[in-house]
Structure formats: C-alpha cells, structure tokens
Amino acid sequence: MSAFTAALVARFGAERVRVQAPLAPLTTFKVGGPADVLLETQASDEIVDALKLAHAHGVAVTMLGGGSNVLIGDKGIRGLVIHPRSGAVHPVGDTLVRADAAVTINGLVRWTINRGYAGLEAWAGTPGTVGGAVFGNAHWKQHNIGDLVESVRLARRDGTLLQAPAGRMEFDYDDSRLKRTGEVALWAAFRVTPGQDPAALRAVARESLHFRKKTQPLESPSAGCIFMNPDPARDTVPAGIPPSAGALVDRAGLKGVALGGARVSPTHANFIINDGTATAADIKALVERCRNAVEERFGVSLRDEIMCLGDF
Ligand SMILES: Cc1cc2nc3c(=O)[nH]c(=O)nc-3n(C[C@H](O)[C@H](O)[C@H](O)COP(=O)(O)OP(=O)(O)OC[C@H]3O[C@@H](n4cnc5c(N)ncnc54)[C@H](O)[C@@H]3O)c2cc1C
C-alpha cells in the first residue's frame, strides 16, 4: 500500500478507499477503465480532507460527479478520483437554496418544487450533480444554470477554501472558471422565488421531461451532447444549415453511423450512444470522425462539450 493510500485509509477507513476501482458503472456512457484509488465522500469536509492529503502526497485528483458529461479512457484514471455521493439542500433566507455538490439536479428540482420554490423546475431531467452542472455551466434551451447561481463555495487543490459570487465564476456557454483553476465546487447557492404553487411548477417540469423524451435517445447509454454548438464569433456556418453541432454532424452524413459499439444517435446527431459493447476508444474514434467530417465539409472546427478524463 502506498503512503498516500495508507493516509486515506487512516482518515476514511479501509472499506471506503477502493484501489483499482471500476469507473464505467459510475458514468452514463458505461465505458472507461479503473481509478487507481476511488473515494466516495459523504460531506464537504471529507472532500477537503481528501484534497489536502492528495496535495501533501503530490497525487493528482479528478472529481467525478454523476459521470454524465465525461468519457473516461479505457486505461482509467491515475491518482485519486473523488466521487461526492451524499449531500443536502437547505433554504437560506427566503430567496436562496443551498445545495451540496453531490446533490443531483433532479433531486434539487424535486426539493424546490415540493416546497413551492420556483426557478429550477425547467431543469427536470438534467442528469448529473450540482458540482458537474456548475463546472460546465449546464444549459437547457436558451438558459444557463449559472444564471440562477448566487455564489459557490470552492476548495482549491490544496484544500484551502473560498467563496465566489456568481459574478466571479466566469460563467459562459459550457464554461466556468473551474475549467481553468481546477478548483472544486463544494456547494452552490441558487436564487429562487418562494410561495409558488407546486402543481404549476410540476407541470413545467413535466414539459421539460416530455421534450427530452421526444428529442434525446434516453434509452441508450450516452453522455449528452458531444460537441459545443458553433460560436458565431469564431465559426461561420454555411447558409441553410442551423447553427448547431447536431445539424452539422447530420449534414455531414454521419447520423446513425457506427464504429465498433459506438453509434451517432439516429435521434439526435450530437449524441453518441453505446450499444453495450463500446469501448472508450470506439467512442473517441467516432468523435474524431465526426469532427474531421464537419471540418472538411463545412470548415467548422467543433469543440468538445464532453470532458475526456484519464488515459486512452
Ligand atoms: C441524456 C443526457 C442528457 C443531457 N442533457 C444535458 C442538457 O440538457 N444540458 C446540459 O448542459 N448537459 C446535459 N447533459 C450533460 C450532463 O448531464 C451535464 O453536463 C451535467 O451538468 C454534468 O454533471 P455531472 O455531475 O454528471 O458531471 P460529471 O460528468 O461527473 O463531470 C463533468 C466535469 O465536471 C467536473 N466536476 C464534477 N463535479 C465537480 C465538482 N464538485 N467540482 C469541480 N469539478 C467537478 C468533472 O471533473 C468533469 O470534468 C446530458 C447528459 C445526458 C447523459
């Protein structure tokens, strides 16, 4: 056992420190190799303690939330993977709710609807956790989740803490400062409107769920949209093609195309689905095939929305 693993075991107990732990079941793509070491945390102070120990031992840390926006390489992830598992939601005054990073977006939506807080109901059906949603500024239709965030509690990689108001989070399309700083989200406070009718909020949530079922291949493992949509400031999409990554992949003739166990979804060309036998290498090769075809055909260079983690 390495000195680092021994230190983790001393803090968290042997049964919670898993060596060579499979990660594929913790992702929605259901692919990828193991973590050198996996720790499922149950509270923010546990995340902070794990960060401090990893920092002291010079071990790399990867955060894994709901695993719904990642492609983990077949050779897995070196170092420590922290997987926040339990979390709570609390009201803060009348107009804020605070949710730990581990809380699922669906759990947060249910919590707010049941208590008559409006603001998050349209996010029903978004896979993943508060931590992952803040990291990538999750979007739904024309809205970004960062628009609802009031502040985020962060931990630096050495375990020191800071609080960032939303204005300092550098939220942008599919982006936040966490992509550059490596800071870890511990919790986020969301702006809400109290005193609303839960039945009306539930109706909005149902509409989102219905729209998702109609437009996304929810029956197969995927990681949501593979590519970001083109940026009008950077990319020129030929006239007559909608400015979306899915439309470009579709018009490049790749909708439904398969490579190994990976296929461009026939329902939504910006989704790649796993038929149950795909490897991360299959998916990565299909991603590059789509990117190259769109570049050659339309001169648009698509950027990843998914995060590729670990060794391929
Ligand atoms: C069927 C389907 C539909 C989807 N629809 C949408 C959609 O409508 N809109 C949308 O935006 N996305 C969508 N997604 C993608 C995904 O659900 C979101 O990006 C989600 O916010 C990712 O959260 P997660 O917890 O699963 O993050 P993960 O996939 O676990 O991680 C994503 C990134 O965040 C980092 N991270 C995770 N937790 C933390 C933390 N606490 N602190 C710092 N970094 C962290 C990880 O290291 C990784 O780099 C969809 C995915 C699927 C499978």
Side-chain angles (χ1 to χ4, degrees), residues 133-135 137 146-147 149 152 166 169-173 175-177:
V134 167
F135 175 90
N137 193 15
D147 299 342
V149 169
V152 184
M169 283 298 295
E170 301 168 22
F171 283 127
D172 206 338
Y173 171 61
D175 198 26
S176 79
R177 75 188 234 177

Side-chain angles (χ1 to χ4, degrees), residues 28 62-70 84 101 123 125-133 135-140 174 178 183-186 212 216 218 222-225 271 305 307 309:
T28 55
T62 302
M63 296 301 296
L64 184 64
S68 64
N69 198 33
V70 294
W123 294 83
T126 308
T129 61
V130 166
F135 175 90
N137 193 15
H139 49 87
W140 175 240
D174 264 325
L178 305 194
E183 292 156 332
V184 170
L186 299 177
R212 280 182 187 279
Q216 298 181 346
L218 300 182
S222 80
C225 288
F271 276 54
E305 179 165 326
M307 299 298 298
L309 302 179

Side-chain angles (χ1 to χ4, degrees), residues 152-201:
V152 184
R153 184 69 163 167
L154 298 171
R156 298 188 187 91
R157 290 288 160 151
D158 63 2
T160 54
L161 300 174
L162 67 156
Q163 185 113 342
R168 306 281 304 268
M169 283 298 295
E170 301 168 22
F171 283 127
D172 206 338
Y173 171 61
D174 264 325
D175 198 26
S176 79
R177 75 188 234 177
L178 305 194
K179 290 198 173 179
R180 289 169 286 285
T181 62
E183 292 156 332
V184 170
L186 299 177
W187 52 255
F190 295 88
R191 283 194 199 83
V192 288
T193 307
Q196 306 301 303
D197 174 15
L201 301 178

Side-chain angles (χ1 to χ4, degrees), residues 104-149:
T104 62
I105 293 296
N106 282 316
L108 176 60
V109 166
R110 269 195 305 276
W111 190 97
T112 52
I113 288 178
N114 289 340
R115 288 160 183 80
Y117 289 107
L120 284 146
E121 58 282 0
W123 294 83
T126 308
T129 61
V130 166
V134 167
F135 175 90
N137 193 15
H139 49 87
W140 175 240
K141 298 199 170 166
Q142 304 314 317
H143 302 281
N144 296 323
I145 204 142
D147 299 342
L148 298 174
V149 169

Side-chain angles (χ1 to χ4, degrees), residues 191-211:
R191 283 194 199 83
V192 288
T193 307
Q196 306 301 303
D197 174 15
L201 301 178
R202 231 166 258 129
V204 174
R206 267 200 302 273
E207 223 172 275
S208 287
L209 292 171
H210 180 67
F211 186 80

Side-chain angles (χ1 to χ4, degrees), residues 23-75:
L23 293 174
L26 303 182
T27 72
T28 55
F29 248 149
K30 305 295 175 207
V31 299
D36 282 351
V37 185
L38 174 69
L39 176 71
E40 295 189 347
T41 53
Q42 287 160 6
S44 292
D45 64 319
E46 292 196 348
I47 298 176
V48 172
D49 285 357
L51 288 171
K52 284 181 178 164
L53 286 174
H55 184 72
H57 287 82
V59 171
V61 175
T62 302
M63 296 301 296
L64 184 64
S68 64
N69 198 33
V70 294
L71 175 60
I72 294 177
D74 293 313
K75 295 186 183 129

